[in-house]
Amino acid sequence: MKIITFGGSNSQHSINKHLATYAAGLFENGEVEILDLNDYAMPLFSVDLEKQVGQHEIAKAFLAKIASADLLVVSLAENNGNYSVAFKNIFDWSSRITKEVFQQKPMLLLATSPGPRGGASVLEIANNALPRYGAQIKATFSLPTFNANFDLEGNKISNAELDKELKDIIKSSF
């Protein structure tokens, strides 16, 4: 089973990329490919720019990666209660090529943040919106207070209760 995973942030130290990578590694017999949104940087989407350049080749490459997956593990960064601009931009460019950005792939949708809500606002927005763009969201998980609940050296959730919760979600939903 091929798993495409990414954190919805362009931070080189993305906590959401850490969470997504960890979660993707929990699937048995999974071949994990980790995407970095920095590899999909494009000018900010606008209809005027789209008229000039057409369908952006980088957005096509992103959609090809999604197409190659059997499962998506996505952890969205929350910026001011919403998607990061890096995720929103690739999403906007891609959705102009096909409304089915996530191509009916099963998805584990995650979020984390340094705060106690763990990206709950962006998780709610995405859980409601992404199915309209071809995401088959099978489960969601929010990791609150990332720095207290994730071990960066071991690249794993350090809070045993939250770690068990994520593992149980994966076991029961996929």
Side-chain angles (χ1 to χ4, degrees), residues 48-115:
D48 296 332
L49 184 56
E50 183 186 38
K51 285 179 186 174
Q52 292 174 10
V53 301
Q55 295 178 338
H56 206 290
E57 293 302 316
I58 292 174
K60 290 178 184 178
F62 179 78
L63 289 168
K65 288 292 186 182
I66 300 297
S68 75
D70 298 308
L71 173 70
L72 303 172
V73 177
V74 178
S75 187
L76 295 175
E78 184 174 287
N79 293 160
N80 298 319
N82 214 316
Y83 305 123
S84 73
V85 70
F87 174 75
K88 184 70 166 78
N89 197 47
I90 188 65
F91 177 69
D92 287 347
W93 278 103
S94 296
S95 70
R96 297 294 286 197
I97 297 170
T98 177
K99 185 176 180 196
E100 295 285 310
V101 172
F102 301 104
Q103 303 170 46
Q104 299 303 317
K105 304 293 181 172
M107 179 186 287
L108 172 59
L109 181 62
L110 313 165
T112 190
S113 74

Side-chain angles (χ1 to χ4, degrees), residues 24 33 39-40 44 48 82-83 94 127 132 134 138 157 166:
E33 183 175 355
D39 295 334
Y40 299 94
L44 289 177
D48 296 332
N82 214 316
Y83 305 123
S94 296
N127 196 36
R132 293 192 299 271
K138 300 294 185 185
I157 296 175
L166 176 58

Side-chain angles (χ1 to χ4, degrees), residues 2-174:
K2 183 168 182 187
I3 301 169
I4 295 289
T5 188
F6 62 89
S9 167
N10 61 347
S11 169
Q12 291 184 12
H13 305 287
S14 170
I15 61 177
N16 280 280
K17 187 174 179 181
H18 282 288
L19 178 60
T21 301
Y22 172 69
L26 295 175
F27 287 85
E28 290 185 27
N29 302 316
E31 172 197 334
V32 178
E33 183 175 355
I34 304 163
L35 303 185
D36 184 333
L37 290 192
N38 289 300
D39 295 334
Y40 299 94
M42 294 175 279
L44 289 177
F45 177 80
S46 75
V47 291
D48 296 332
L49 184 56
E50 183 186 38
K51 285 179 186 174
Q52 292 174 10
V53 301
Q55 295 178 338
H56 206 290
E57 293 302 316
I58 292 174
K60 290 178 184 178
F62 179 78
L63 289 168
K65 288 292 186 182
I66 300 297
S68 75
D70 298 308
L71 173 70
L72 303 172
V73 177
V74 178
S75 187
L76 295 175
E78 184 174 287
N79 293 160
N80 298 319
N82 214 316
Y83 305 123
S84 73
V85 70
F87 174 75
K88 184 70 166 78
N89 197 47
I90 188 65
F91 177 69
D92 287 347
W93 278 103
S94 296
S95 70
R96 297 294 286 197
I97 297 170
T98 177
K99 185 176 180 196
E100 295 285 310
V101 172
F102 301 104
Q103 303 170 46
Q104 299 303 317
K105 304 293 181 172
M107 179 186 287
L108 172 59
L109 181 62
L110 313 165
T112 190
S113 74
R117 288 183 30 84
S121 294
V122 74
L123 195 60
E124 181 180 347
I125 290 167
N127 196 36
N128 288 326
L130 297 187
R132 293 192 299 271
Y133 296 90
Q136 288 187 10
I137 299 170
K138 300 294 185 185
T140 63
F141 175 78
S142 169
L143 180 67
T145 321
F146 179 85
N147 296 322
N149 291 313
F150 198 91
D151 173 13
L152 283 171
E153 288 183 24
N155 200 40
K156 64 181 182 176
I157 296 175
S158 56
N159 178 305
E161 185 177 309
L162 292 169
D163 192 48
K164 182 181 181 321
E165 181 182 339
L166 176 58
K167 289 174 178 174
D168 288 348
I169 286 169
I170 290 171
K171 186 176 180 180
S172 67
S173 300
F174 295 93

